[in-house]
Amino acid sequence: MEKFVVRGKKHSSCTNDSQSPKKKIKLESDDGVKQEEDEEDEHAEFSHPVPWQKVEAEGLDCDYALLFSKEEADQLFKQLEEEVVYSTGEKATVQVFGKVYSVPRKKATYGDAGVTYTYSGMTHLACQWTPTLEYIRDAVTNTTGQTFNFVLVNRYKDGQDHMGEHRDDERELDPLCPIASVSLGAARDFVFRHRDARGKQSRRQIEPVKLELAHGSLLLMNSPTNTFWYHSVPARKKITVPRINLTFRRILLDTKKKIKH
């Protein structure tokens, strides 16, 4: 498997009514060989210089960087723990092949007023941005030049919490905008698997790509990644501390999705 490793207020109610440290990034292959990437920014298309690492495979195009210093990431994690209100009841479930399952992690949805996002058989109305979510969103925008109107928050209490293989390929996502994934807390493996190499009836031999998403990191999943590659956060029993992941998205708006509170 191709492996990339990087070293390195009270609850608000929710109803339906920057800093960019220049650190070197180390790549570690399966044979243990490590390489250090140059600190110079090679991606002029980004509006704010951070040491980007390009992750590519057939039909896979991602950019990875450390966006926040450890001190700032620690503070942001603490603030999100105080601000984010996670879904309960039906909103804390997913629908797979007609069956309803509890989600093996906590989740919440925030964004611009009236924005909705439908996935896994459930439609979610965005809660109003919290101050910390706005701050992180703006840091991502300043770094990438992309704007976002929605964020999905996933909290993993420890390594037992996980996310199964899926693609973020819903039609309401703007195909011209990458999905920006910010990780805070425990470093977790993030595994890409090509759609033609899944399951016993796989048609091709394509190696999975595994990233370790570090505390304070930003991963951009560019088109056409979510067309060809599934991704997951596997369970890791040895991890005992929590992780919060924020996936910022740009939802296409139309008159049917503008809901008045």
Side-chain angles (χ1 to χ4, degrees):
M1 176 182 289
E2 192 173 2
K3 183 180 181 183
F4 299 81
V5 182
V6 179
R7 307 300 185 194
K9 314 163 183 172
K10 281 300 176 183
H11 291 77
S12 60
S13 60
C14 172
T15 65
N16 286 346
D17 293 81
S18 115
Q19 294 177 354
S20 302
K22 291 193 174 183
K23 297 183 180 179
K24 289 188 177 181
I25 296 177
K26 296 182 180 180
L27 306 184
E28 181 178 324
S29 62
D30 284 341
D31 57 10
V33 177
K34 296 179 181 178
Q35 298 176 319
E36 290 191 351
E37 291 289 304
D38 195 334
E39 290 182 335
E40 294 297 324
D41 177 35
E42 298 178 354
H43 298 269
E45 68 268 30
F46 296 123
S47 60
H48 190 75
V50 294
W52 290 101
Q53 171 193 331
K54 196 69 175 176
V55 182
E56 294 179 298
E58 178 185 323
L60 187 150
D61 181 351
C62 293
D63 295 287
Y64 182 89
L66 294 178
L67 181 61
F68 299 110
S69 67
K70 181 182 183 305
E71 293 73 20
E72 187 170 15
D74 287 346
Q75 183 61 32
L76 292 172
F77 183 94
K78 180 181 178 182
Q79 291 171 198
L80 290 176
E81 289 283 74
E82 297 175 352
E83 292 179 5
V84 175
V85 179
Y86 292 96
S87 300
T88 58
E90 184 183 34
K91 294 297 183 182
T93 62
V94 294
Q95 190 175 112
V96 182
F97 298 116
K99 294 185 178 181
V100 177
Y101 300 90
S102 296
V103 177
R105 61 193 174 278
K106 289 183 177 180
K107 66 178 183 179
T109 53
Y110 288 82
D112 293 352
V115 174
T116 65
Y117 182 43
T118 302
Y119 68 97
S120 298
M122 299 291 296
T123 297
H124 301 267
L125 174 63
C127 300
Q128 184 178 356
W129 296 100
T130 74
T132 303
L133 288 174
E134 280 191 322
Y135 176 86
I136 299 172
R137 178 203 63 196
D138 291 346
V140 174
T141 293
N142 291 338
T143 302
T144 65
Q146 297 284 351
T147 58
F148 305 90
N149 58 7
F150 183 89
V151 65
L152 174 62
V153 184
N154 282 296
R155 186 186 188 278
Y156 303 77
K157 69 178 185 301
D158 54 30
Q160 299 282 7
D161 281 4
H162 60 280
M163 179 181 289
E165 286 188 345
H166 68 286
R167 291 180 294 174
D168 297 323
D169 59 353
E170 290 78 15
R171 292 183 179 180
E172 58 201 298
L173 292 174
D174 187 339
L176 300 179
C177 181
I179 292 177
S181 174
V182 174
S183 295
L184 299 168
R188 293 290 295 267
D189 288 339
F190 190 79
V191 180
F192 287 102
R193 193 179 305 276
H194 196 280
R195 67 183 185 183
D196 293 341
R198 300 176 69 239
K200 296 180 180 179
Q201 305 299 322
S202 59
R203 295 180 289 168
R204 303 174 62 193
Q205 293 289 331
I206 302 176
E207 284 295 307
V209 175
K210 182 168 70 173
L211 309 175
E212 184 185 73
L213 302 183
H215 182 41
S217 66
L218 168 62
L219 175 70
L220 290 181
M221 288 185 280
N222 306 307
S223 178
T225 300
N226 273 292
T227 299
F228 297 102
W229 292 79
Y230 286 73
H231 56 269
S232 65
V233 180
R236 294 289 185 260
K237 294 181 180 180
K238 293 183 179 180
I239 295 178
T240 59
V241 294
R243 169 185 184 249
I244 297 176
N245 178 250
L246 314 171
T247 49
F248 292 91
R249 304 148 194 259
R250 186 155 70 225
I251 308 297
L252 296 173
L253 301 178
D254 58 35
T255 56
K256 294 181 180 180
K257 292 175 183 173
K258 293 180 179 178
I259 300 175
K260 293 183 178 181
H261 289 268

